[in-house]
């Protein structure tokens, strides 16, 4: 059985929904309590047995690289970062123009080689059990492409790729940002994937879509004609930290779980006159 040990995390987007801060700081580096999102994502990957990661960055996001470099100044003070760098090999590739998720993933072709691999989007946080581990467990069962899915509110259907799937969780269609009448289900594609390497042949054939972007969804649709795709209903709670409201909700929920903060924060929230 092929072991999934490589992961790609694209973090080279513009972050327009979270401007102006994202002009100066990558959204993937903004703190969830005191950890940047990318650190929590790597912990999820390590829990899943991933051994090597590739960040797709750009020259405005060099601080992501710096973050994982060990400096004497911090010796003994950042053991949790050290633990990560000792558990997973970190690599970088550049996507200088934000030409979409499809273009970002194509940059990982040489790193991935000819094996199935995992993707975690840099702005999609899932709190709870390692979601990418749950996808890998499904890959071991189905030996085919797996997409992380979860139910979303009807009012949010037009923000996501929405899937059409059967009772065996086999996906036969993804509709990008449908309106409520066109949506084939309430299940959205939420930033976790396991793909066979044939996805790269599809990414290479992509045509530019609206907004001058190459969309990963288009490549998935192409591969779906040749290979099976299954939805994995991950058990954790999803936060879109690329949106202001998602970021705020994530901070509150992670802080409520933090022994140092939860009592005072609960008291504070209770006393807010809202
Ligand atoms: P998003 O579409 O959520 O990110 O991409 P974005 O384009 O930065 O967001 P908005 O819409 O402008 O606010 C999901 C992930 O893919 C990365 C992003 O950094 C994010 O982590 N991405 C997106 C790339 O690496 N390259 C791209 O060209 C686009």
């Amino acid at each position: 059985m092929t072991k999934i040990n490589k992961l790609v995390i694209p973090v080279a987007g513009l972050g327009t929904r979270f401007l102006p801060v994202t002009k100066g700081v990558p959204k993937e580096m903004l703190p969830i309590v005191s950890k940047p999102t990318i650190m929590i994502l790597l912990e999820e990957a390590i829990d899943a047995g991933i051994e090597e990661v590739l960040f797709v960055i750009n020259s405005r996001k060099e601080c992501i690289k710096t973050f994982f470099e060990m400096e004497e100044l911090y010796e003994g003070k950042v053991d949790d970062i050290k633990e990560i760098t000792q558990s997973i090999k970190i690599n970088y590739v550049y996507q200088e123009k934000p030409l979409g998720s499809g273009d970002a993933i194509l940059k990982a072709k040489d790193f991935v080689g000819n094996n199935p691999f995992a993707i975690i989007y840099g702005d999609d946080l899932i709190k709870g059990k390692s979601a990418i581990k749950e996808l890998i467990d499904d890959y071991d069962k189905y030996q085919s492409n797996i997409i992380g899915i979860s139910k979303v509110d009807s009012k949010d259907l037009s923000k996501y790729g929405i899937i059409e799937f059967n009772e065996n969780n086999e996906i036969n269609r993804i509709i990008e940002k449908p309106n409520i009448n066109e949506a084939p289900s309430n299940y959205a594609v939420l930033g976790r994937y396991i793909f066979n390497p044939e996805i790269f042949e599809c990414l290479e054939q992509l045509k530019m879509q609206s907004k001058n972007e190459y969309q990963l969804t288009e490549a998935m649709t192409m591969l779906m004609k040749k290979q099976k795709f299954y939805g994995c209903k991950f058990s954790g709670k999803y936060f879109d930290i690329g949106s202001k409201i998602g970021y705020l909700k994530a901070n509150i929920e992670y802080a409520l779980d933090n022994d140092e903060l939860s009592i005072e924060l609960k008291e504070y929230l209770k006393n807010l006159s809202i």
Side-chain angles (χ1 to χ4, degrees), residues 8-262:
V8 180
I9 307 186
V11 292
L14 277 183
T16 51
R17 286 168 298 150
F18 216 143
L19 282 166
V21 66
T22 41
K23 184 167 182 306
V25 184
K27 59 184 165 181
E28 300 86 357
M29 282 300 288
L30 293 176
I32 304 300
V33 186
S34 61
K35 285 185 185 180
T37 295
I38 50 164
M39 200 173 155
I40 304 175
L41 299 181
L42 287 187
E43 288 168 348
E44 174 184 339
I46 290 165
D47 283 350
I50 299 280
E51 291 162 5
E52 207 172 341
V53 60
L54 178 77
F55 281 106
V56 183
I57 64 169
N58 60 42
S59 48
R60 281 169 287 112
K61 301 208 177 189
E62 294 283 343
C63 61
I64 293 176
K65 260 176 145 175
T66 323
F67 180 76
F68 289 110
E69 283 162 10
M70 284 299 148
E71 294 169 42
E72 257 173 48
L73 209 57
Y74 292 97
E75 193 57 46
K77 297 190 179 87
V78 288
D79 289 347
D80 41 1
I81 304 180
K82 199 170 183 177
E83 213 175 300
I84 288 175
T85 55
Q86 286 171 348
S87 309
I88 197 163
K89 183 168 186 287
I90 305 177
N91 307 277
Y92 303 91
V93 70
Y94 285 77
Q95 183 205 28
E96 280 307 340
K97 284 192 188 148
L99 291 177
S101 51
D103 182 65
I105 302 304
L106 184 54
K107 299 273 185 259
K109 188 179 175 199
D110 291 344
F111 165 79
V112 168
N114 203 24
N115 286 306
F117 67 105
I119 299 174
I120 295 182
Y121 273 3
D123 59 356
D124 286 330
L125 197 55
I126 298 172
K127 184 170 179 287
K129 271 194 194 161
S130 167
I132 204 67
K133 171 145 189 356
E134 292 179 317
L135 267 74
I136 291 174
D137 290 346
D138 271 11
Y139 180 85
D140 291 343
K141 186 166 137 199
Y142 294 112
Q143 293 290 300
S144 205
N145 305 284
I146 310 289
I147 303 180
I149 56 168
S150 190
K151 234 184 196 165
V152 293
D153 276 357
S154 303
K155 69 171 173 38
D156 292 331
L157 290 167
S158 61
K159 293 184 192 161
Y160 301 106
I162 304 297
I163 60 161
E164 183 178 287
F165 66 132
N166 67 20
E167 60 289 355
N168 302 320
N169 291 335
E170 191 179 336
I171 300 174
N172 44 49
R173 201 156 62 115
I174 305 173
I175 304 185
E176 246 336 296
K177 303 185 170 66
N179 63 42
I180 192 164
N181 307 317
E182 288 169 338
S185 74
N186 272 345
Y187 278 85
V189 174
L190 294 175
R192 299 289 181 285
Y193 311 84
I194 309 286
F195 289 132
N196 285 324
E198 288 77 20
I199 193 74
F200 290 109
E201 290 160 28
C202 302
L203 289 168
E204 278 166 339
Q205 289 169 43
L206 283 183
K207 296 204 172 62
M208 201 173 261
Q209 302 288 308
S210 58
K211 294 205 294 177
N212 292 339
E213 289 189 343
Y214 296 95
Q215 296 293 355
L216 180 61
T217 303
E218 284 301 306
M220 290 195 273
T221 301
M222 270 187 232
L223 191 56
M224 226 170 262
K225 292 188 181 123
K226 298 181 195 153
Q227 296 187 5
K228 286 186 188 282
F229 277 68
Y230 292 90
C232 169
K233 295 174 184 163
F234 54 79
S235 61
K237 189 163 179 181
Y238 168 80
F239 299 94
D240 173 8
I241 67 98
S243 76
K244 285 169 237 167
I245 189 70
Y247 177 76
L248 291 171
K249 285 179 183 171
N251 261 297
I252 291 170
E253 294 224 16
Y254 276 81
L256 286 172
D257 257 9
N258 183 308
D259 292 344
E260 208 183 296
L261 305 172
S262 65

